[in-house]
Amino acid sequence: AMRCSASLAMPAMTSVSSMACRFATARSVQASSRGCLRVPVRAVSFVGNARRSASSCVTNAVFDSGAADAEVPLTEDELTLRDVTRKLMDCRRRKAAANAVDLLVSLGRANIEPDLFAATTCLGACVASGKIDLALKVFEEVFQKGVVKPDEVVFAELIRGHLAVDPPAWPRAISLLTRMRTEHGVTPTALSYNILLAKCADDNELERAEEIVDRMADEEIVPDGATADAVKKRRSIRSYAKKMLML
């Protein structure tokens, strides 16, 4: 089974390498087309909580064309994107990273750009599969190269991925708090910090948790309902967070 997993990872890494070029071609084709190829924004809307809890960065999504668009037929590209996105969600549930990457690449081959949800779900499938290197490659080709603009959930997935390795890659995880702001204009919120605090609680790292809580206080990060849940298993961490963040 391990040999099979490894053999799947290499083709996936190879195919993702040219992903940005394919999507650039897709963008060019769409821009020059006479038809209105309004890839995913209208056709595929996802109803869910934008601030996902620390336990799940990608929420259950609902496909909803919306009443206003009920009489407007979907284009072939929109239907394709919707179908691929459903399959990507299934890949994330099954932790099928290689399949998810193949699906995302297939959009480029069809001259269709992914939307934020599809790209994030692909990256999340890589993280769920424990393949942080592949997740980073997806991030580089899709988000870093400007095919899709990332939001905080994208970085939250990467933070989770860095903390899932053994030993946890704390410097890389922490650095994403700064990178998302300086490189992509994304302001971190409790969503990202809750993941870090939950890992501290899991590993009983009081000193690190205090540093993270201090940073939240310094940057005026407002805790949410999931913050208390993230630290509840460790009394010492919970007490410090309660004192500093007024939980």
Short mmCIF file of all heavy atoms in Angstrom, two decimals, residues 94-130:
data_model
loop_
_atom_site.label_atom_id
_atom_site.label_comp_id
_atom_site.label_asym_id
_atom_site.label_seq_id
_atom_site.Cartn_x
_atom_site.Cartn_y
_atom_site.Cartn_z
N ARG A 94 -12.04 11.24 1.14
CA ARG A 94 -11.33 9.97 1.00
C ARG A 94 -9.82 10.11 1.19
O ARG A 94 -9.10 9.13 1.15
CB ARG A 94 -11.61 9.35 -0.37
CG ARG A 94 -13.04 8.95 -0.60
CD ARG A 94 -13.21 8.20 -1.91
NE ARG A 94 -12.97 9.03 -3.09
CZ ARG A 94 -11.91 8.94 -3.88
NH1 ARG A 94 -10.94 8.06 -3.62
NH2 ARG A 94 -11.78 9.72 -4.94
N LYS A 95 -9.35 11.35 1.36
CA LYS A 95 -7.92 11.64 1.49
C LYS A 95 -7.16 11.16 0.26
O LYS A 95 -6.08 10.57 0.35
CB LYS A 95 -7.35 11.00 2.76
CG LYS A 95 -8.03 11.45 4.03
CD LYS A 95 -7.43 10.82 5.27
CE LYS A 95 -8.14 11.29 6.52
NZ LYS A 95 -7.56 10.67 7.76
N ALA A 96 -7.74 11.44 -0.90
CA ALA A 96 -7.16 10.99 -2.17
C ALA A 96 -6.47 12.17 -2.85
O ALA A 96 -7.03 12.83 -3.74
CB ALA A 96 -8.24 10.40 -3.07
N ALA A 97 -5.24 12.45 -2.43
CA ALA A 97 -4.52 13.62 -2.91
C ALA A 97 -4.24 13.56 -4.41
O ALA A 97 -4.46 14.53 -5.14
CB ALA A 97 -3.21 13.78 -2.14
N ALA A 98 -3.72 12.44 -4.88
CA ALA A 98 -3.34 12.32 -6.29
C ALA A 98 -4.56 12.50 -7.20
O ALA A 98 -4.49 13.18 -8.23
CB ALA A 98 -2.68 10.97 -6.55
N ASN A 99 -5.68 11.92 -6.81
CA ASN A 99 -6.91 12.07 -7.60
C ASN A 99 -7.37 13.52 -7.63
O ASN A 99 -7.84 14.02 -8.66
CB ASN A 99 -8.02 11.19 -7.04
CG ASN A 99 -7.76 9.71 -7.28
OD1 ASN A 99 -6.91 9.34 -8.08
ND2 ASN A 99 -8.49 8.86 -6.59
N ALA A 100 -7.23 14.21 -6.48
CA ALA A 100 -7.65 15.60 -6.40
C ALA A 100 -6.81 16.48 -7.33
O ALA A 100 -7.33 17.34 -8.04
CB ALA A 100 -7.54 16.10 -4.97
N VAL A 101 -5.51 16.25 -7.34
CA VAL A 101 -4.62 17.02 -8.21
C VAL A 101 -4.95 16.75 -9.67
O VAL A 101 -5.01 17.68 -10.49
CB VAL A 101 -3.15 16.70 -7.92
CG1 VAL A 101 -2.24 17.29 -8.99
CG2 VAL A 101 -2.75 17.23 -6.54
N ASP A 102 -5.19 15.51 -10.00
CA ASP A 102 -5.55 15.17 -11.39
C ASP A 102 -6.83 15.90 -11.81
O ASP A 102 -6.94 16.37 -12.95
CB ASP A 102 -5.75 13.66 -11.54
CG ASP A 102 -4.43 12.90 -11.52
OD1 ASP A 102 -3.37 13.55 -11.70
OD2 ASP A 102 -4.46 11.67 -11.31
N LEU A 103 -7.80 15.99 -10.90
CA LEU A 103 -9.05 16.68 -11.21
C LEU A 103 -8.82 18.17 -11.45
O LEU A 103 -9.38 18.76 -12.38
CB LEU A 103 -10.05 16.49 -10.07
CG LEU A 103 -10.73 15.12 -9.98
CD1 LEU A 103 -11.43 14.95 -8.64
CD2 LEU A 103 -11.73 14.95 -11.12
N LEU A 104 -7.98 18.78 -10.61
CA LEU A 104 -7.71 20.20 -10.78
C LEU A 104 -6.97 20.47 -12.10
O LEU A 104 -7.28 21.42 -12.82
CB LEU A 104 -6.89 20.73 -9.60
CG LEU A 104 -6.95 22.24 -9.37
CD1 LEU A 104 -8.37 22.68 -9.01
CD2 LEU A 104 -5.98 22.68 -8.29
N VAL A 105 -6.03 19.59 -12.41
CA VAL A 105 -5.29 19.73 -13.67
C VAL A 105 -6.23 19.55 -14.86
O VAL A 105 -6.08 20.21 -15.90
CB VAL A 105 -4.14 18.70 -13.73
CG1 VAL A 105 -3.50 18.67 -15.12
CG2 VAL A 105 -3.07 19.05 -12.70
N SER A 106 -7.23 18.68 -14.70
CA SER A 106 -8.17 18.44 -15.80
C SER A 106 -8.94 19.71 -16.17
O SER A 106 -9.34 19.89 -17.32
CB SER A 106 -9.15 17.32 -15.44
OG SER A 106 -10.12 17.75 -14.49
N LEU A 107 -9.15 20.59 -15.20
CA LEU A 107 -9.81 21.85 -15.51
C LEU A 107 -8.96 22.69 -16.45
O LEU A 107 -9.46 23.31 -17.39
CB LEU A 107 -10.09 22.63 -14.22
CG LEU A 107 -11.17 22.08 -13.29
CD1 LEU A 107 -11.25 22.90 -12.01
CD2 LEU A 107 -12.52 22.06 -13.99
N GLY A 108 -7.66 22.72 -16.18
CA GLY A 108 -6.76 23.47 -17.06
C GLY A 108 -6.74 22.91 -18.46
O GLY A 108 -6.72 23.65 -19.45
N ARG A 109 -6.76 21.57 -18.55
CA ARG A 109 -6.78 20.94 -19.87
C ARG A 109 -8.05 21.29 -20.64
O ARG A 109 -8.05 21.32 -21.86
CB ARG A 109 -6.66 19.43 -19.71
CG ARG A 109 -5.30 18.96 -19.19
CD ARG A 109 -5.19 17.46 -19.22
NE ARG A 109 -3.91 17.00 -18.71
CZ ARG A 109 -3.77 16.12 -17.73
NH1 ARG A 109 -4.85 15.57 -17.18
NH2 ARG A 109 -2.57 15.75 -17.32
N ALA A 110 -9.14 21.53 -19.89
CA ALA A 110 -10.41 21.90 -20.52
C ALA A 110 -10.56 23.41 -20.68
O ALA A 110 -11.62 23.90 -21.05
CB ALA A 110 -11.57 21.36 -19.68
N ASN A 111 -9.47 24.15 -20.41
CA ASN A 111 -9.48 25.62 -20.50
C ASN A 111 -10.50 26.26 -19.56
O ASN A 111 -11.19 27.21 -19.90
CB ASN A 111 -9.76 26.07 -21.94
CG ASN A 111 -8.61 25.73 -22.87
OD1 ASN A 111 -7.45 25.77 -22.47
ND2 ASN A 111 -8.93 25.38 -24.10
N ILE A 112 -10.59 25.70 -18.35
CA ILE A 112 -11.49 26.22 -17.32
C ILE A 112 -10.66 26.54 -16.08
O ILE A 112 -9.92 25.70 -15.59
CB ILE A 112 -12.59 25.20 -16.95
CG1 ILE A 112 -13.43 24.84 -18.18
CG2 ILE A 112 -13.48 25.75 -15.83
CD1 ILE A 112 -14.39 23.70 -17.93
N GLU A 113 -10.79 27.76 -15.59
CA GLU A 113 -10.10 28.11 -14.35
C GLU A 113 -10.90 27.62 -13.14
O GLU A 113 -12.14 27.67 -13.15
CB GLU A 113 -9.94 29.63 -14.24
CG GLU A 113 -8.83 30.19 -15.10
CD GLU A 113 -8.51 31.63 -14.75
OE1 GLU A 113 -8.91 32.07 -13.66
OE2 GLU A 113 -7.86 32.30 -15.56
N PRO A 114 -10.21 27.18 -12.09
CA PRO A 114 -10.93 26.80 -10.87
C PRO A 114 -11.38 28.04 -10.12
O PRO A 114 -10.87 29.14 -10.36
CB PRO A 114 -9.85 26.04 -10.07
CG PRO A 114 -8.57 26.71 -10.48
CD PRO A 114 -8.74 27.05 -11.94
N ASP A 115 -12.33 27.88 -9.23
CA ASP A 115 -12.66 28.97 -8.32
C ASP A 115 -11.96 28.70 -6.99
O ASP A 115 -11.23 27.71 -6.84
CB ASP A 115 -14.17 29.12 -8.16
CG ASP A 115 -14.83 27.90 -7.52
OD1 ASP A 115 -14.12 26.92 -7.24
OD2 ASP A 115 -16.05 27.93 -7.32
N LEU A 116 -12.16 29.60 -6.04
CA LEU A 116 -11.48 29.50 -4.76
C LEU A 116 -11.83 28.21 -4.04
O LEU A 116 -10.97 27.53 -3.47
CB LEU A 116 -11.83 30.70 -3.88
CG LEU A 116 -11.28 30.70 -2.46
CD1 LEU A 116 -9.75 30.66 -2.46
CD2 LEU A 116 -11.77 31.94 -1.70
N PHE A 117 -13.11 27.84 -4.07
CA PHE A 117 -13.52 26.64 -3.34
C PHE A 117 -12.89 25.38 -3.92
O PHE A 117 -12.40 24.52 -3.18
CB PHE A 117 -15.05 26.52 -3.34
CG PHE A 117 -15.56 25.45 -2.41
CD1 PHE A 117 -15.86 25.74 -1.10
CD2 PHE A 117 -15.71 24.15 -2.85
CE1 PHE A 117 -16.32 24.75 -0.24
CE2 PHE A 117 -16.16 23.15 -2.00
CZ PHE A 117 -16.46 23.45 -0.69
N ALA A 118 -12.91 25.27 -5.23
CA ALA A 118 -12.33 24.08 -5.86
C ALA A 118 -10.84 23.97 -5.57
O ALA A 118 -10.34 22.90 -5.21
CB ALA A 118 -12.58 24.12 -7.37
N ALA A 119 -10.13 25.07 -5.70
CA ALA A 119 -8.69 25.06 -5.47
C ALA A 119 -8.37 24.75 -4.00
O ALA A 119 -7.44 23.98 -3.70
CB ALA A 119 -8.07 26.40 -5.87
N THR A 120 -9.14 25.34 -3.09
CA THR A 120 -8.92 25.09 -1.66
C THR A 120 -9.21 23.64 -1.31
O THR A 120 -8.51 23.02 -0.50
CB THR A 120 -9.80 26.02 -0.81
OG1 THR A 120 -9.55 27.38 -1.17
CG2 THR A 120 -9.49 25.84 0.68
N THR A 121 -10.25 23.09 -1.91
CA THR A 121 -10.61 21.70 -1.63
C THR A 121 -9.53 20.75 -2.12
O THR A 121 -9.21 19.74 -1.46
CB THR A 121 -11.96 21.35 -2.27
OG1 THR A 121 -12.95 22.28 -1.84
CG2 THR A 121 -12.40 19.94 -1.87
N CYS A 122 -8.93 21.05 -3.26
CA CYS A 122 -7.81 20.24 -3.75
C CYS A 122 -6.64 20.29 -2.78
O CYS A 122 -6.07 19.26 -2.41
CB CYS A 122 -7.39 20.72 -5.14
SG CYS A 122 -5.97 19.83 -5.82
N LEU A 123 -6.29 21.50 -2.36
CA LEU A 123 -5.20 21.65 -1.41
C LEU A 123 -5.53 20.93 -0.10
O LEU A 123 -4.67 20.25 0.49
CB LEU A 123 -4.94 23.14 -1.16
CG LEU A 123 -3.73 23.51 -0.31
CD1 LEU A 123 -3.16 24.86 -0.77
CD2 LEU A 123 -4.09 23.60 1.17
N GLY A 124 -6.78 21.03 0.33
CA GLY A 124 -7.20 20.36 1.55
C GLY A 124 -7.13 18.85 1.45
O GLY A 124 -6.82 18.17 2.43
N ALA A 125 -7.38 18.31 0.26
CA ALA A 125 -7.25 16.87 0.06
C ALA A 125 -5.81 16.42 0.24
O ALA A 125 -5.54 15.36 0.81
CB ALA A 125 -7.75 16.48 -1.33
N CYS A 126 -4.88 17.25 -0.22
CA CYS A 126 -3.46 16.94 -0.05
C CYS A 126 -3.07 16.96 1.42
O CYS A 126 -2.35 16.09 1.90
CB CYS A 126 -2.60 17.93 -0.84
SG CYS A 126 -2.84 17.88 -2.63
N VAL A 127 -3.56 17.97 2.14
CA VAL A 127 -3.26 18.07 3.57
C VAL A 127 -3.88 16.90 4.33
O VAL A 127 -3.22 16.27 5.17
CB VAL A 127 -3.79 19.41 4.14
CG1 VAL A 127 -3.71 19.42 5.67
CG2 VAL A 127 -3.01 20.58 3.56
N ALA A 128 -5.12 16.57 4.02
CA ALA A 128 -5.80 15.46 4.70
C ALA A 128 -5.10 14.14 4.45
O ALA A 128 -5.13 13.24 5.29
CB ALA A 128 -7.26 15.38 4.23
N SER A 129 -4.43 14.05 3.30
CA SER A 129 -3.71 12.82 2.94
C SER A 129 -2.32 12.77 3.56
O SER A 129 -1.60 11.79 3.38
CB SER A 129 -3.58 12.71 1.42
OG SER A 129 -4.83 12.78 0.79
N GLY A 130 -1.92 13.84 4.25
CA GLY A 130 -0.59 13.88 4.85
C GLY A 130 0.50 14.22 3.86
O GLY A 130 1.68 14.00 4.14
#
